[in-house]
Amino acid sequence: MRTFGVEEELLIADPVDGMPLALAADILDVTSPEGPESNPQGPSLKSEFKQEQIEVNSLPCRTAKELRAEIRAGRALADSAALAVGARVAALATPPVFHATPTTGNQRYAAMGAEFGLISREQLTCGFHVHVSIDSPEEGVAVLDRMRHWLPVLLALSANSPFWMGADTGFASYRTQIWNRWPTAGPMDVFGSADGYRAVLSELLGTGVPLDEGMIYFDARLSRGHPTVELRVADVCLYAEDALTIAVLARALVETSASEWRKGGPPSSTLTPVIRMANWKASRFGINNQLLHPLEQAPYAAADVAGALLRHIRRALTESGDLALARTGVANILRRGTGERLQRQAYGRRLRLSDVVTAAITSTHQDGERSDVSLISL
């Protein structure tokens, strides 16, 4: 069974007025007074692009049960440290209240800030990255080539960023729009081989636009530091159980794609501009409207598209013992909505953005729930 793990970027916020707080360095000092170090026994924290966010890294896990515990422990670790410095952490993919801020605390990030201007200053967004183990770079690229047209479905199921700069954007995942300002962000063409992948990276780096390989922000890529494929398309999920669902779907999608490659199946033939359209619809509507069907490239109801994904990866889910969890998790998302729906509901009660952050803090740390899988067509 492939191991998998996650990176969750969490917003550091004032629990009263909801404003982001630049306290990442202080939080790391609380958890590791002598400097940020990995915890070999559980999840660990690290700084991210902005001091108003903190990244939680899980250990590699073999089972969904292990990963669920890692996600909950990581959120609790970050929140406990934030409380010690007068803040809380919330799984919000964009801050409801925010003003552009400089990037500090890291020489590389400072260089990016100087190079990319307002794109950098406004880049307070929180994503959700799933790492899934691979046997080789060749297998990893084969996976990238075969799962690329399915990634917009994961974006829709994770959508959690309707507010930006104090306004309702009309989008379910406005983080996607902000993130795609980076020149290397988004879907990519078929690479064909590991050599083809490296050739694309070499061409991009040769332009001098990305400052380094770390700025290769594809929706999915080969990890630089781990023998994994890294799926980067999703918003950070408000609910921990949704994060687990997305991770389980991601692992099964990687295994399904690898199996197709081993059997000689061809890579995805979907045009990259069409995948961009699918990403846009997922970003705009989440699960609240139609999505582009990955096999038909035409609009279908979100529940039908989610069902198509589950059918596509059913064998891998069954082999890992995750089928029931995945079906229930997707049904929960379709029934009560993603984080964007709770955010809008919280705002609608009193028209206060601080209420959105308060509700998000609670939901970030609450227990999971179960639902009737009849909501999706399998």
Side-chain angles (χ1 to χ4, degrees), residues 49-50 52 98-103 109 112-125 164-165 178 181-182:
F49 189 64
K50 293 284 190 176
E52 294 90 348
F98 172 60
H99 299 287
T101 61
T103 301
Y109 291 157
M112 290 169 63
E115 181 73 14
F116 291 94
L118 188 63
I119 291 175
S120 174
R121 293 197 299 276
E122 288 191 347
Q123 198 56 243
L124 180 52
T125 63
W164 180 249
M165 297 290 188
I178 299 297
R181 296 175 182 180
W182 293 116

Side-chain angles (χ1 to χ4, degrees), residues 277-295:
M277 298 303 101
N279 271 351
W280 192 92
K281 284 187 73 71
S283 168
R284 173 66 175 86
F285 299 112
I287 60 165
N288 300 314
N289 201 302
Q290 293 181 322
L291 300 171
L292 287 190
H293 195 295
L295 301 179

